[in-house]
Amino acid sequence: MYWTLELASHLEDAPWPATKDELIDYGIRSGAPVEVIENLQGLEDDGEPYENIEEIWPDYPTKDDFFFNEDEY
């Protein structure tokens, strides 16, 4: 299982919190690439919902990871 920014971006608007099956369903309905669906199928399924993308991909960058000052523009 591998994630990239491009692949993970397909889950930004997912209905969080969501279970593994709900995320797979969302990915299919939203037309996400097959790699996203395969990655979701590879997730552990303990029945608990995932609260956000960071629980799936801990290295997912947030706005704080970029050195862009929105107030300057």
Side-chain angles (χ1 to χ4, degrees), residues 52-67:
N52 52 43
I53 187 76
E54 288 86 7
E55 287 189 16
I56 294 173
W57 186 31
D59 293 333
Y60 184 74
T62 62
K63 283 188 175 185
D64 296 336
D65 294 328
F66 298 100
F67 299 108

Side-chain angles (χ1 to χ4, degrees), residues 7-63:
L7 293 177
S9 70
H10 291 279
L11 297 177
E12 286 181 345
D13 295 329
W16 303 103
T19 64
K20 174 184 172 180
D21 291 336
E22 290 171 336
L23 289 172
I24 292 170
D25 182 58
Y26 173 80
I28 292 169
R29 287 185 293 111
S30 65
V34 70
E35 292 89 351
V36 173
I37 307 304
E38 289 172 351
N39 285 348
L40 292 172
Q41 290 171 340
L43 293 175
E44 291 183 27
D45 189 11
D46 58 2
E48 293 292 317
Y50 292 93
E51 296 296 323
N52 52 43
I53 187 76
E54 288 86 7
E55 287 189 16
I56 294 173
W57 186 31
D59 293 333
Y60 184 74
T62 62
K63 283 188 175 185

